[in-house]
């Protein structure tokens, strides 16, 4: 499509500010960004939409427009919401670089412009394939005649013979297409690996689609990004489109079509994000009441308001669990709270649950660098009458999201999560919040990019370990374990593994010898050497406990 066609559509709210002689430029796509340097996401021919959040001083306009002109974009549309009007320095920079400039009125969303451009570009460039995109657009409306991304991907299967899935950052299937007899679902392990490959490729700065071969099949992974801020702020919550095909062999028209589909799905994602506003507000209100020590009756009243929104159709008041998360980046240049909030909204869903709806029953708020999730649990007791048995467990959560999210955090980010026990009254929420925060501190004391701990660990010695000063911990472990490490290094004697196995077997000589495939006499020799090097006696409970703690701390 041509740029001038945008001015013929009044509903887009575009006004030309400069570049009338360049309106015959061809638009190949659309991108929304507020990055100061978006060059790595540009391939040329885009209509760039920006809210001007990158502009901090007039000189920024020249730098930004020089980058866009160098990338060969077709034009720029600037929103009026941030500054009230498009600044004159931006207009002048566009004139100097012969870049057409439009203003976007405040009441027109970038999503509307994106949808229009994608539809028009696909129609003109993909010929008969554009009918698929148009059908996607019409079927992606909510309600009984819609179907969302699920129907969109079914059309990819029926019209283009492509199997495709929309996945969360942890690999949970949000939507999927199916060909006859093949079924819609990806195996959970495969989906998690695809999500991990996508996160790793994106953090490495590689432009999508990312191609990967797993289980003898080749998949092309397309990012579904609804925001162009710093990649770290959105990557851990962005969806991805996985297509069972090698996009490296595709003609340009088909790539354009798939990029168009991802943009349409991003519009659907924006709509669902907007629907979370009420749940976020409910969570924020409950959290503020709990933290300020409000009377339980007031908290209970707020929960009665929240329950129908979070658990529609369930008459009984639910139990509640609290999950606390913290995302930290090296250098501290990004706030952790919003990132953790968006992340919890994606990962606090049973990985075996299909579709996006379960995530709409979780309310997450953030304050500072911390995100707090209020998770309702249906009041359905198990055979023992214990309704909390249906709740979240930290170790199960870790199994789901540790591998893919570790790749997204790469070498400069860290996620720690704490999970409370379930409570069934307003009186229990304050304690649950503190319990989840303590559990998160326990997780933070462990090595690794992604760590989680649950309430059940707070009755253990591990609760004390995070609060021991680092220098004390180092001195304690060095005094007990350094002699053994030095001896192992010189003689390859494996005293540290022997000590770990001996303690794990509760001091049983026969069980420990069998585990290590040693003769009991050999085991006795090694334990004697440990005692000689450290001056400790492994028959004494106090010394066993010291060794156990030293190993856990290290």
């Amino acid at each position: 499509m041509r740029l001038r066609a945008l001015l013929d559509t009044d509903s887009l709210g575009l006004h030309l500010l400069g570049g009338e002689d360049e309106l015959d430029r061809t638009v190949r796509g659309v991108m929304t960004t507020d990055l100061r340097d978006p060059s790595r996401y540009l391939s040329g021919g885009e209509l760039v939409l920006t809210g001007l959040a990158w502009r901090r001083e007039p000189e920024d306009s020249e730098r930004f427009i020089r980058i866009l002109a160098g990338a060969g974009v077709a034009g720029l549309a600037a929103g009026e919401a941030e500054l009230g009007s498009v600044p004159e320095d931006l207009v002048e920079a566009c004139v100097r670089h012969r870049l057409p400039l439009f203003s976007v009125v405040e009441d027109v969303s970038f999503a509307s412009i994106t949808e229009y451009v994608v539809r028009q570009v696909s129609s003109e460039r993909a010929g008969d394939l554009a009918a698929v995109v148009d059908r996607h657009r019409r079927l992606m409306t909510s309600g009984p005649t819609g179907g969302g991304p699920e129907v969109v991907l079914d059309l990819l299967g029926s019209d283009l013979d492509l199997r495709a899935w929309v996945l969360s950052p942890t690999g949970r299937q949000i939507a999927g297409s199916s060909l006859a007899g093949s079924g819609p679902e990806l195996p959970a392990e495969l989906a998690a690996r695809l999500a991990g490959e996508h996160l790793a490729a994106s953090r490495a700065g590689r432009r999508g689609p990312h191609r990967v071969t797993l289980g003898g099949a080749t998949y092309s992974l397309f990012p579904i990004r609804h925001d162009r801020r710093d990649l770290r702020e959105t990557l851990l919550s962005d969806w991805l489109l996985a297509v069972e095909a090698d996009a490296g062999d595709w003609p340009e028209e088909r790539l354009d079509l798939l990029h168009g589909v991802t943009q349409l799905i991003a519009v659907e994602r924006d709509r669902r994000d907007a629907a979370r506003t009420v749940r976020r507000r409910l969570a924020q209100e409950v959290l503020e009441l709990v933290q300020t020590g409000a009377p339980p009756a007031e908290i209970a009243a707020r929960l009665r308001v929240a329950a129908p929104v979070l658990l529609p159709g369930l008459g009984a008041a639910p139990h509640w669990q609290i999950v606390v998360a913290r995302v930290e980046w090296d250098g501290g240049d990004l706030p952790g709270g919003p990132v953790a909030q968006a992340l919890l909204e994606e990962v606090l869903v049973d990985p075996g649950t299909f579709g996006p709806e379960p995530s709409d029953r979780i309310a997450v708020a953030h304050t500072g660098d911390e995100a707090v999730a209020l998770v309702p649990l249906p009041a359905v007791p198990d055979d023992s009458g214990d309704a909390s048995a249906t709740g979240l467990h930290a170790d199960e959560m870790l199994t789901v999201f540790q591998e893919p999210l570790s790749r997204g955090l790469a070498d400069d980010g860290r996620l720690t999560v704490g999970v409370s026990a379930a409570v069934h009254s307003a009186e229990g929420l304050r304690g649950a919040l503190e319990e989840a925060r303590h559990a998160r501190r326990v997780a933070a004391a462990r090595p690794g990019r992604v760590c989680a701990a649950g309430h059940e660990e707070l009755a253990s010695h591990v609760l004390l370990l995070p609060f021991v000063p680092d220098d004390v911990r180092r001195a304690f472990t060095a005094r007990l374990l350094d002699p053994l490490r030095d001896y192992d290094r010189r003689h390859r004697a494996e005293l540290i593994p022997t000590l770990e196995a001996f303690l794990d077997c509760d001091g049983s000589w026969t069980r420990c010898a069998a585990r290590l495939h040693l003769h009991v006499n050999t085991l006795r020799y090694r334990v004697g050497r440990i005692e000689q090097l450290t001056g400790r006696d492994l028959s004494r409970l106090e010394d066993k406990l010291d060794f156990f703690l030293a190993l856990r701390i290290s």
Side-chain angles (χ1 to χ4, degrees), residues 132-147:
V132 179
V133 175
D134 188 61
R135 290 165 67 190
H136 292 175
R137 180 191 60 79
R138 289 185 282 108
L139 288 168
M140 280 186 66
T141 58
S142 58
T145 61

Side-chain angles (χ1 to χ4, degrees), residues 221-263:
L221 310 177
F222 294 79
I224 300 174
R225 297 208 177 103
H226 61 110
D227 198 319
R228 291 291 183 177
R229 293 172 291 170
D230 188 308
L231 185 65
R232 294 172 297 172
E233 294 184 74
T234 59
L235 181 65
L236 297 183
S237 59
D238 280 340
W239 294 350
L240 70 135
L241 176 66
V243 181
E244 189 177 358
D246 187 347
D249 299 331
W250 285 1
E252 186 177 355
E253 289 80 2
R254 179 165 288 203
L255 279 173
D256 285 346
L257 178 66
L258 265 292
H259 283 300
V261 169
T262 64
Q263 290 174 322

Side-chain angles (χ1 to χ4, degrees), residues 379-401:
V380 180
D382 59 15
D383 294 339
S384 66
D386 181 10
S388 65
T390 61
L392 298 165
H393 296 277
D395 54 346
E396 295 173 2
M397 289 173 58
L398 197 61
T399 300
V400 172
F401 60 64

Side-chain angles (χ1 to χ4, degrees), residues 445-447 461-462 465 473-485 488 494-506 512 515 530 534 536 538 542-554:
R446 296 171 176 166
H461 65 278
V462 296
L465 299 185
R473 293 164 68 177
R474 284 192 294 269
F476 179 71
T477 57
R479 190 177 304 115
L480 280 173
L481 301 183
D482 279 2
L484 305 182
R485 290 171 177 147
D488 281 347
E494 298 188 351
L495 296 185
I496 292 288
T498 300
L499 177 61
E500 291 175 328
F502 187 72
L503 295 174
D504 195 43
C505 292
D506 298 322
C512 184
R515 174 181 294 190
I530 291 170
T534 61
R536 300 298 186 106
L538 279 168
E542 293 87 346
D543 288 342
K544 287 180 182 177
L545 181 59
D546 284 347
F547 277 123
F548 177 77
L549 290 174
L551 290 168
R552 290 299 296 268
I553 290 173
S554 65

Side-chain angles (χ1 to χ4, degrees), residues 33-36 50-56 60 82-83 229:
T33 185
D34 274 311
L35 291 175
R36 294 169 67 84
T50 181
L52 301 177
W54 48 266
R55 183 185 177 275
R56 300 169 189 171
D60 290 341
E82 179 78 11
L83 302 177
R229 293 172 291 170

Side-chain angles (χ1 to χ4, degrees), residues 12-28:
L12 296 181
L14 294 174
H15 301 290
L16 184 64
L17 299 181
E20 184 174 0
D21 295 337
E22 304 291 333
L23 291 180
D24 285 329
R25 292 186 180 188
T26 299
V27 179
R28 298 182 61 252

Side-chain angles (χ1 to χ4, degrees), residues 216 510 535:
T510 54

Side-chain angles (χ1 to χ4, degrees), residues 61 169 208 320 540 545:
S61 293
W320 303 91
R540 298 178 67 245
L545 181 59

